PDB file of all heavy atoms in Angstrom:
ATOM      1  N   PHE A   1     -13.938   4.119  -2.101  1.00 97.00           N
ATOM      2  CA  PHE A   1     -14.410   5.066  -1.054  1.00 97.00           C
ATOM      3  C   PHE A   1     -15.719   4.644  -0.444  1.00 97.00           C
ATOM      4  O   PHE A   1     -16.249   5.373   0.476  1.00 97.00           O
ATOM      5  CB  PHE A   1     -14.367   6.467  -1.509  1.00 97.00           C
ATOM      6  CG  PHE A   1     -12.987   7.021  -1.909  1.00 97.00           C
ATOM      7  CD1 PHE A   1     -12.604   7.308  -3.125  1.00 97.00           C
ATOM      8  CD2 PHE A   1     -11.951   6.977  -0.833  1.00 97.00           C
ATOM      9  CE1 PHE A   1     -11.316   7.703  -3.385  1.00 97.00           C
ATOM     10  CE2 PHE A   1     -10.673   7.448  -1.163  1.00 97.00           C
ATOM     11  CZ  PHE A   1     -10.369   7.741  -2.450  1.00 97.00           C
ATOM     12  N   ASP A   2     -16.259   3.536  -0.902  1.00 97.00           N
ATOM     13  CA  ASP A   2     -17.468   2.926  -0.193  1.00 97.00           C
ATOM     14  C   ASP A   2     -17.008   1.873   0.798  1.00 97.00           C
ATOM     15  O   ASP A   2     -17.886   1.269   1.509  1.00 97.00           O
ATOM     16  CB  ASP A   2     -18.359   2.228  -1.226  1.00 97.00           C
ATOM     17  CG  ASP A   2     -19.109   3.269  -2.080  1.00 97.00           C
ATOM     18  OD1 ASP A   2     -19.189   4.442  -1.588  1.00 97.00           O
ATOM     19  OD2 ASP A   2     -19.631   2.961  -3.185  1.00 97.00           O
ATOM     20  N   ILE A   3     -15.771   1.523   0.931  1.00 97.00           N
ATOM     21  CA  ILE A   3     -15.261   0.531   1.942  1.00 97.00           C
ATOM     22  C   ILE A   3     -15.330   1.202   3.257  1.00 97.00           C
ATOM     23  O   ILE A   3     -15.068   2.324   3.497  1.00 97.00           O
ATOM     24  CB  ILE A   3     -13.745   0.134   1.553  1.00 97.00           C
ATOM     25  CG1 ILE A   3     -13.665  -0.474   0.170  1.00 97.00           C
ATOM     26  CG2 ILE A   3     -13.143  -0.708   2.599  1.00 97.00           C
ATOM     27  CD1 ILE A   3     -12.234  -0.725  -0.247  1.00 97.00           C
ATOM     28  N   ALA A   4     -15.748   0.291   4.259  1.00 97.00           N
ATOM     29  CA  ALA A   4     -15.892   0.829   5.581  1.00 97.00           C
ATOM     30  C   ALA A   4     -14.445   1.193   6.107  1.00 97.00           C
ATOM     31  O   ALA A   4     -13.451   0.674   5.642  1.00 97.00           O
ATOM     32  CB  ALA A   4     -16.340  -0.408   6.495  1.00 97.00           C
ATOM     33  N   ASP A   5     -14.449   2.216   7.005  1.00 98.00           N
ATOM     34  CA  ASP A   5     -13.306   2.908   7.452  1.00 98.00           C
ATOM     35  C   ASP A   5     -12.283   1.811   7.941  1.00 98.00           C
ATOM     36  O   ASP A   5     -11.014   2.002   7.551  1.00 98.00           O
ATOM     37  CB  ASP A   5     -13.515   3.948   8.574  1.00 98.00           C
ATOM     38  CG  ASP A   5     -14.223   5.151   7.946  1.00 98.00           C
ATOM     39  OD1 ASP A   5     -14.430   5.254   6.738  1.00 98.00           O
ATOM     40  OD2 ASP A   5     -14.678   5.977   8.820  1.00 98.00           O
ATOM     41  N   ASP A   6     -12.624   0.921   8.739  1.00 97.00           N
ATOM     42  CA  ASP A   6     -11.618  -0.043   9.296  1.00 97.00           C
ATOM     43  C   ASP A   6     -11.109  -0.858   8.243  1.00 97.00           C
ATOM     44  O   ASP A   6      -9.806  -1.168   8.065  1.00 97.00           O
ATOM     45  CB  ASP A   6     -12.261  -0.881  10.417  1.00 97.00           C
ATOM     46  CG  ASP A   6     -13.410  -1.725   9.925  1.00 97.00           C
ATOM     47  OD1 ASP A   6     -14.208  -1.266   9.092  1.00 97.00           O
ATOM     48  OD2 ASP A   6     -13.546  -2.860  10.554  1.00 97.00           O
ATOM     49  N   GLU A   7     -11.862  -1.325   7.257  1.00 98.00           N
ATOM     50  CA  GLU A   7     -11.290  -2.113   6.148  1.00 98.00           C
ATOM     51  C   GLU A   7     -10.459  -1.303   5.186  1.00 98.00           C
ATOM     52  O   GLU A   7      -9.453  -1.793   4.637  1.00 98.00           O
ATOM     53  CB  GLU A   7     -12.586  -2.704   5.309  1.00 98.00           C
ATOM     54  CG  GLU A   7     -13.302  -3.708   6.106  1.00 98.00           C
ATOM     55  CD  GLU A   7     -14.506  -4.287   5.346  1.00 98.00           C
ATOM     56  OE1 GLU A   7     -14.648  -3.983   4.123  1.00 98.00           O
ATOM     57  OE2 GLU A   7     -15.315  -4.904   5.978  1.00 98.00           O
ATOM     58  N   PHE A   8     -10.811  -0.063   5.014  1.00 98.00           N
ATOM     59  CA  PHE A   8     -10.064   0.903   4.165  1.00 98.00           C
ATOM     60  C   PHE A   8      -8.590   1.058   4.757  1.00 98.00           C
ATOM     61  O   PHE A   8      -7.602   0.980   4.077  1.00 98.00           O
ATOM     62  CB  PHE A   8     -10.679   2.234   4.128  1.00 98.00           C
ATOM     63  CG  PHE A   8     -10.081   3.197   3.294  1.00 98.00           C
ATOM     64  CD1 PHE A   8     -10.362   3.301   1.909  1.00 98.00           C
ATOM     65  CD2 PHE A   8      -9.251   4.211   3.760  1.00 98.00           C
ATOM     66  CE1 PHE A   8      -9.765   4.228   1.072  1.00 98.00           C
ATOM     67  CE2 PHE A   8      -8.671   5.188   2.914  1.00 98.00           C
ATOM     68  CZ  PHE A   8      -8.907   5.192   1.567  1.00 98.00           C
ATOM     69  N   LEU A   9      -8.591   1.227   6.089  1.00 98.00           N
ATOM     70  CA  LEU A   9      -7.275   1.346   6.674  1.00 98.00           C
ATOM     71  C   LEU A   9      -6.512   0.099   6.616  1.00 98.00           C
ATOM     72  O   LEU A   9      -5.258   0.036   6.358  1.00 98.00           O
ATOM     73  CB  LEU A   9      -7.438   1.706   8.180  1.00 98.00           C
ATOM     74  CG  LEU A   9      -7.974   3.097   8.498  1.00 98.00           C
ATOM     75  CD1 LEU A   9      -8.324   3.340   9.989  1.00 98.00           C
ATOM     76  CD2 LEU A   9      -7.014   4.098   8.019  1.00 98.00           C
ATOM     77  N   LYS A  10      -7.032  -1.056   6.919  1.00 98.00           N
ATOM     78  CA  LYS A  10      -6.350  -2.360   6.696  1.00 98.00           C
ATOM     79  C   LYS A  10      -5.844  -2.569   5.390  1.00 98.00           C
ATOM     80  O   LYS A  10      -4.740  -3.066   5.183  1.00 98.00           O
ATOM     81  CB  LYS A  10      -7.319  -3.518   7.091  1.00 98.00           C
ATOM     82  CG  LYS A  10      -7.588  -3.535   8.592  1.00 98.00           C
ATOM     83  CD  LYS A  10      -8.673  -4.578   8.968  1.00 98.00           C
ATOM     84  CE  LYS A  10      -8.988  -4.588  10.395  1.00 98.00           C
ATOM     85  NZ  LYS A  10     -10.096  -5.449  10.739  1.00 98.00           N
ATOM     86  N   LEU A  11      -6.682  -2.202   4.320  1.00 98.00           N
ATOM     87  CA  LEU A  11      -6.243  -2.417   2.956  1.00 98.00           C
ATOM     88  C   LEU A  11      -5.051  -1.470   2.664  1.00 98.00           C
ATOM     89  O   LEU A  11      -4.027  -1.976   2.057  1.00 98.00           O
ATOM     90  CB  LEU A  11      -7.382  -1.955   1.945  1.00 98.00           C
ATOM     91  CG  LEU A  11      -7.097  -1.917   0.528  1.00 98.00           C
ATOM     92  CD1 LEU A  11      -6.854  -3.322  -0.019  1.00 98.00           C
ATOM     93  CD2 LEU A  11      -8.214  -1.219  -0.232  1.00 98.00           C
ATOM     94  N   HIS A  12      -5.010  -0.209   3.156  1.00 98.00           N
ATOM     95  CA  HIS A  12      -3.891   0.644   2.807  1.00 98.00           C
ATOM     96  C   HIS A  12      -2.622   0.231   3.598  1.00 98.00           C
ATOM     97  O   HIS A  12      -1.452   0.358   3.091  1.00 98.00           O
ATOM     98  CB  HIS A  12      -4.215   2.106   3.122  1.00 98.00           C
ATOM     99  CG  HIS A  12      -4.983   2.616   1.926  1.00 98.00           C
ATOM    100  ND1 HIS A  12      -6.328   2.341   1.784  1.00 98.00           N
ATOM    101  CD2 HIS A  12      -4.665   3.382   0.890  1.00 98.00           C
ATOM    102  CE1 HIS A  12      -6.852   2.941   0.675  1.00 98.00           C
ATOM    103  NE2 HIS A  12      -5.791   3.621   0.063  1.00 98.00           N
ATOM    104  N   LEU A  13      -2.726  -0.263   4.868  1.00 98.00           N
ATOM    105  CA  LEU A  13      -1.624  -0.795   5.670  1.00 98.00           C
ATOM    106  C   LEU A  13      -1.052  -2.003   5.035  1.00 98.00           C
ATOM    107  O   LEU A  13       0.146  -2.174   4.967  1.00 98.00           O
ATOM    108  CB  LEU A  13      -2.002  -0.956   7.093  1.00 98.00           C
ATOM    109  CG  LEU A  13      -2.296   0.261   7.851  1.00 98.00           C
ATOM    110  CD1 LEU A  13      -2.874  -0.088   9.236  1.00 98.00           C
ATOM    111  CD2 LEU A  13      -0.960   1.096   8.052  1.00 98.00           C
ATOM    112  N   PHE A  14      -1.881  -2.864   4.485  1.00 98.00           N
ATOM    113  CA  PHE A  14      -1.464  -4.053   3.799  1.00 98.00           C
ATOM    114  C   PHE A  14      -0.765  -3.658   2.529  1.00 98.00           C
ATOM    115  O   PHE A  14       0.297  -4.205   2.247  1.00 98.00           O
ATOM    116  CB  PHE A  14      -2.673  -4.925   3.461  1.00 98.00           C
ATOM    117  CG  PHE A  14      -2.453  -6.199   2.865  1.00 98.00           C
ATOM    118  CD1 PHE A  14      -1.910  -7.323   3.654  1.00 98.00           C
ATOM    119  CD2 PHE A  14      -2.577  -6.473   1.503  1.00 98.00           C
ATOM    120  CE1 PHE A  14      -1.653  -8.561   3.009  1.00 98.00           C
ATOM    121  CE2 PHE A  14      -2.241  -7.685   0.884  1.00 98.00           C
ATOM    122  CZ  PHE A  14      -1.782  -8.785   1.731  1.00 98.00           C
ATOM    123  N   ALA A  15      -1.291  -2.695   1.796  1.00 98.00           N
ATOM    124  CA  ALA A  15      -0.500  -2.228   0.554  1.00 98.00           C
ATOM    125  C   ALA A  15       0.742  -1.554   0.887  1.00 98.00           C
ATOM    126  O   ALA A  15       1.750  -1.772   0.095  1.00 98.00           O
ATOM    127  CB  ALA A  15      -1.528  -1.184  -0.115  1.00 98.00           C
ATOM    128  N   LYS A  16       0.873  -0.900   1.979  1.00 98.00           N
ATOM    129  CA  LYS A  16       2.123  -0.320   2.392  1.00 98.00           C
ATOM    130  C   LYS A  16       3.250  -1.413   2.579  1.00 98.00           C
ATOM    131  O   LYS A  16       4.358  -1.253   2.157  1.00 98.00           O
ATOM    132  CB  LYS A  16       2.016   0.498   3.749  1.00 98.00           C
ATOM    133  CG  LYS A  16       3.347   1.086   4.177  1.00 98.00           C
ATOM    134  CD  LYS A  16       3.139   1.809   5.541  1.00 98.00           C
ATOM    135  CE  LYS A  16       4.427   2.303   6.040  1.00 98.00           C
ATOM    136  NZ  LYS A  16       4.217   3.112   7.325  1.00 98.00           N
ATOM    137  N   LYS A  17       2.884  -2.516   3.188  1.00 98.00           N
ATOM    138  CA  LYS A  17       3.762  -3.617   3.458  1.00 98.00           C
ATOM    139  C   LYS A  17       4.192  -4.219   2.073  1.00 98.00           C
ATOM    140  O   LYS A  17       5.418  -4.580   1.855  1.00 98.00           O
ATOM    141  CB  LYS A  17       3.023  -4.611   4.334  1.00 98.00           C
ATOM    142  CG  LYS A  17       3.923  -5.913   4.665  1.00 98.00           C
ATOM    143  CD  LYS A  17       3.253  -6.782   5.699  1.00 98.00           C
ATOM    144  CE  LYS A  17       2.312  -7.817   5.005  1.00 98.00           C
ATOM    145  NZ  LYS A  17       1.786  -8.761   5.867  1.00 98.00           N
ATOM    146  N   ILE A  18       3.299  -4.438   1.266  1.00 99.00           N
ATOM    147  CA  ILE A  18       3.616  -4.965  -0.121  1.00 99.00           C
ATOM    148  C   ILE A  18       4.450  -3.953  -0.883  1.00 99.00           C
ATOM    149  O   ILE A  18       5.383  -4.461  -1.488  1.00 99.00           O
ATOM    150  CB  ILE A  18       2.278  -5.260  -0.930  1.00 99.00           C
ATOM    151  CG1 ILE A  18       1.366  -6.227  -0.159  1.00 99.00           C
ATOM    152  CG2 ILE A  18       2.560  -5.831  -2.303  1.00 99.00           C
ATOM    153  CD1 ILE A  18       2.006  -7.512   0.222  1.00 99.00           C
ATOM    154  N   ALA A  19       4.221  -2.684  -0.869  1.00 98.00           N
ATOM    155  CA  ALA A  19       4.983  -1.764  -1.577  1.00 98.00           C
ATOM    156  C   ALA A  19       6.433  -1.714  -1.099  1.00 98.00           C
ATOM    157  O   ALA A  19       7.360  -1.628  -1.897  1.00 98.00           O
ATOM    158  CB  ALA A  19       4.389  -0.391  -1.446  1.00 98.00           C
ATOM    159  N   GLN A  20       6.607  -1.841   0.278  1.00 98.00           N
ATOM    160  CA  GLN A  20       7.983  -1.930   0.790  1.00 98.00           C
ATOM    161  C   GLN A  20       8.749  -3.074   0.225  1.00 98.00           C
ATOM    162  O   GLN A  20       9.973  -3.104  -0.001  1.00 98.00           O
ATOM    163  CB  GLN A  20       7.916  -1.866   2.328  1.00 98.00           C
ATOM    164  CG  GLN A  20       7.441  -0.507   2.839  1.00 98.00           C
ATOM    165  CD  GLN A  20       7.140  -0.534   4.371  1.00 98.00           C
ATOM    166  OE1 GLN A  20       6.753  -1.542   4.897  1.00 98.00           O
ATOM    167  NE2 GLN A  20       7.309   0.678   4.891  1.00 98.00           N
ATOM    168  N   ALA A  21       7.994  -4.194   0.226  1.00 98.00           N
ATOM    169  CA  ALA A  21       8.632  -5.456  -0.276  1.00 98.00           C
ATOM    170  C   ALA A  21       8.984  -5.341  -1.845  1.00 98.00           C
ATOM    171  O   ALA A  21      10.061  -5.768  -2.221  1.00 98.00           O
ATOM    172  CB  ALA A  21       7.789  -6.586  -0.099  1.00 98.00           C
ATOM    173  N   ILE A  22       8.142  -4.768  -2.610  1.00 98.00           N
ATOM    174  CA  ILE A  22       8.372  -4.570  -4.020  1.00 98.00           C
ATOM    175  C   ILE A  22       9.559  -3.694  -4.187  1.00 98.00           C
ATOM    176  O   ILE A  22      10.508  -4.070  -4.978  1.00 98.00           O
ATOM    177  CB  ILE A  22       7.106  -3.914  -4.698  1.00 98.00           C
ATOM    178  CG1 ILE A  22       5.906  -4.894  -4.693  1.00 98.00           C
ATOM    179  CG2 ILE A  22       7.550  -3.543  -6.239  1.00 98.00           C
ATOM    180  CD1 ILE A  22       4.607  -4.325  -5.179  1.00 98.00           C
ATOM    181  N   ARG A  23       9.652  -2.654  -3.456  1.00 98.00           N
ATOM    182  CA  ARG A  23      10.751  -1.724  -3.525  1.00 98.00           C
ATOM    183  C   ARG A  23      12.113  -2.386  -3.305  1.00 98.00           C
ATOM    184  O   ARG A  23      13.237  -2.106  -3.900  1.00 98.00           O
ATOM    185  CB  ARG A  23      10.546  -0.521  -2.623  1.00 98.00           C
ATOM    186  CG  ARG A  23      11.587   0.575  -2.958  1.00 98.00           C
ATOM    187  CD  ARG A  23      11.299   1.893  -2.243  1.00 98.00           C
ATOM    188  NE  ARG A  23      12.228   2.976  -2.646  1.00 98.00           N
ATOM    189  CZ  ARG A  23      12.367   4.001  -2.022  1.00 98.00           C
ATOM    190  NH1 ARG A  23      11.738   4.201  -0.819  1.00 98.00           N
ATOM    191  NH2 ARG A  23      13.170   4.944  -2.450  1.00 98.00           N
ATOM    192  N   LYS A  24      12.180  -3.333  -2.341  1.00 98.00           N
ATOM    193  CA  LYS A  24      13.283  -4.025  -2.103  1.00 98.00           C
ATOM    194  C   LYS A  24      13.652  -5.038  -3.154  1.00 98.00           C
ATOM    195  O   LYS A  24      14.899  -5.438  -3.364  1.00 98.00           O
ATOM    196  CB  LYS A  24      13.249  -4.787  -0.753  1.00 98.00           C
ATOM    197  CG  LYS A  24      13.214  -3.852   0.491  1.00 98.00           C
ATOM    198  CD  LYS A  24      12.962  -4.570   1.774  1.00 98.00           C
ATOM    199  CE  LYS A  24      12.769  -3.674   2.884  1.00 98.00           C
ATOM    200  NZ  LYS A  24      12.408  -4.503   4.146  1.00 98.00           N
ATOM    201  N   ALA A  25      12.694  -5.567  -3.798  1.00 98.00           N
ATOM    202  CA  ALA A  25      12.808  -6.699  -4.790  1.00 98.00           C
ATOM    203  C   ALA A  25      13.083  -6.215  -6.189  1.00 98.00           C
ATOM    204  O   ALA A  25      13.644  -6.971  -6.970  1.00 98.00           O
ATOM    205  CB  ALA A  25      11.607  -7.659  -4.643  1.00 98.00           C
ATOM    206  N   VAL A  26      12.526  -5.131  -6.515  1.00 98.00           N
ATOM    207  CA  VAL A  26      12.511  -4.634  -7.812  1.00 98.00           C
ATOM    208  C   VAL A  26      13.218  -3.402  -7.973  1.00 98.00           C
ATOM    209  O   VAL A  26      12.844  -2.353  -7.307  1.00 98.00           O
ATOM    210  CB  VAL A  26      11.058  -4.435  -8.441  1.00 98.00           C
ATOM    211  CG1 VAL A  26      11.013  -3.885  -9.850  1.00 98.00           C
ATOM    212  CG2 VAL A  26      10.299  -5.760  -8.316  1.00 98.00           C
ATOM    213  N   PRO A  27      14.289  -3.313  -8.789  1.00 97.00           N
ATOM    214  CA  PRO A  27      15.000  -2.036  -8.874  1.00 97.00           C
ATOM    215  C   PRO A  27      14.093  -0.834  -9.364  1.00 97.00           C
ATOM    216  O   PRO A  27      13.548  -0.956 -10.499  1.00 97.00           O
ATOM    217  CB  PRO A  27      16.185  -2.356  -9.902  1.00 97.00           C
ATOM    218  CG  PRO A  27      16.302  -3.739  -9.890  1.00 97.00           C
ATOM    219  CD  PRO A  27      14.939  -4.394  -9.550  1.00 97.00           C
ATOM    220  N   CYS A  28      14.022   0.171  -8.597  1.00 98.00           N
ATOM    221  CA  CYS A  28      13.171   1.353  -9.038  1.00 98.00           C
ATOM    222  C   CYS A  28      13.548   2.446  -8.037  1.00 98.00           C
ATOM    223  O   CYS A  28      14.011   2.280  -6.922  1.00 98.00           O
ATOM    224  CB  CYS A  28      11.693   0.948  -8.963  1.00 98.00           C
ATOM    225  SG  CYS A  28      11.051   0.425  -7.385  1.00 98.00           S
ATOM    226  N   ARG A  29      13.033   3.717  -8.409  1.00 98.00           N
ATOM    227  CA  ARG A  29      13.243   4.819  -7.493  1.00 98.00           C
ATOM    228  C   ARG A  29      12.133   4.888  -6.428  1.00 98.00           C
ATOM    229  O   ARG A  29      12.411   5.216  -5.284  1.00 98.00           O
ATOM    230  CB  ARG A  29      13.272   6.152  -8.334  1.00 98.00           C
ATOM    231  CG  ARG A  29      14.418   6.282  -9.244  1.00 98.00           C
ATOM    232  CD  ARG A  29      14.306   7.488 -10.096  1.00 98.00           C
ATOM    233  NE  ARG A  29      14.186   8.646  -9.381  1.00 98.00           N
ATOM    234  CZ  ARG A  29      13.756   9.866  -9.863  1.00 98.00           C
ATOM    235  NH1 ARG A  29      13.406   9.977 -11.131  1.00 98.00           N
ATOM    236  NH2 ARG A  29      13.662  10.909  -9.073  1.00 98.00           N
ATOM    237  N   ARG A  30      10.878   4.556  -6.734  1.00 97.00           N
ATOM    238  CA  ARG A  30       9.852   4.547  -5.784  1.00 97.00           C
ATOM    239  C   ARG A  30       8.773   3.544  -6.213  1.00 97.00           C
ATOM    240  O   ARG A  30       8.860   3.083  -7.345  1.00 97.00           O
ATOM    241  CB  ARG A  30       9.188   5.927  -5.702  1.00 97.00           C
ATOM    242  CG  ARG A  30      10.077   7.051  -5.166  1.00 97.00           C
ATOM    243  CD  ARG A  30       9.309   8.276  -5.048  1.00 97.00           C
ATOM    244  NE  ARG A  30      10.274   9.267  -4.607  1.00 97.00           N
ATOM    245  CZ  ARG A  30      10.190  10.028  -3.562  1.00 97.00           C
ATOM    246  NH1 ARG A  30       9.172   9.870  -2.716  1.00 97.00           N
ATOM    247  NH2 ARG A  30      11.085  10.896  -3.165  1.00 97.00           N
ATOM    248  N   ILE A  31       7.776   3.398  -5.352  1.00 98.00           N
ATOM    249  CA  ILE A  31       6.613   2.676  -5.699  1.00 98.00           C
ATOM    250  C   ILE A  31       5.435   3.708  -5.726  1.00 98.00           C
ATOM    251  O   ILE A  31       5.123   4.383  -4.834  1.00 98.00           O
ATOM    252  CB  ILE A  31       6.270   1.500  -4.710  1.00 98.00           C
ATOM    253  CG1 ILE A  31       7.471   0.603  -4.496  1.00 98.00           C
ATOM    254  CG2 ILE A  31       4.930   0.815  -5.094  1.00 98.00           C
ATOM    255  CD1 ILE A  31       7.770  -0.160  -5.778  1.00 98.00           C
ATOM    256  N   GLY A  32       4.793   3.689  -6.954  1.00 98.00           N
ATOM    257  CA  GLY A  32       3.654   4.549  -7.135  1.00 98.00           C
ATOM    258  C   GLY A  32       2.372   3.844  -6.788  1.00 98.00           C
ATOM    259  O   GLY A  32       2.266   2.585  -6.806  1.00 98.00           O
ATOM    260  N   LEU A  33       1.374   4.550  -6.363  1.00 97.00           N
ATOM    261  CA  LEU A  33       0.137   3.996  -5.923  1.00 97.00           C
ATOM    262  C   LEU A  33      -0.925   4.624  -6.789  1.00 97.00           C
ATOM    263  O   LEU A  33      -0.931   5.864  -6.931  1.00 97.00           O
ATOM    264  CB  LEU A  33      -0.195   4.265  -4.439  1.00 97.00           C
ATOM    265  CG  LEU A  33      -1.457   3.766  -3.879  1.00 97.00           C
ATOM    266  CD1 LEU A  33      -1.264   3.431  -2.430  1.00 97.00           C
ATOM    267  CD2 LEU A  33      -2.587   4.761  -4.059  1.00 97.00           C
ATOM    268  N   ALA A  34      -1.865   3.899  -7.414  1.00 97.00           N
ATOM    269  CA  ALA A  34      -2.897   4.404  -8.276  1.00 97.00           C
ATOM    270  C   ALA A  34      -4.133   3.640  -7.978  1.00 97.00           C
ATOM    271  O   ALA A  34      -4.129   2.471  -7.822  1.00 97.00           O
ATOM    272  CB  ALA A  34      -2.535   4.304  -9.807  1.00 97.00           C
TER     273      ALA A  34
END
């Protein structure tokens, strides 16, 4: 939460893209974020 707002948004949008790929590649119900 010390990351600048624009970098924070980029990080989370990047994580969303990765999570979507993991969900397609790895059998699971959802992808959790911690």
Side-chain angles (χ1 to χ4, degrees):
F1 295 116
D2 287 339
I3 296 173
D5 289 351
D6 63 325
E7 293 176 11
F8 185 85
L9 291 172
K10 289 174 185 172
L11 176 67
H12 282 78
L13 289 171
F14 186 77
K16 178 181 177 181
K17 181 172 89 170
I18 302 304
Q20 290 169 333
I22 294 170
R23 191 170 186 200
K24 291 176 186 173
V26 178
C28 63
R29 291 177 57 199
R30 293 183 185 243
I31 302 299
L33 181 148

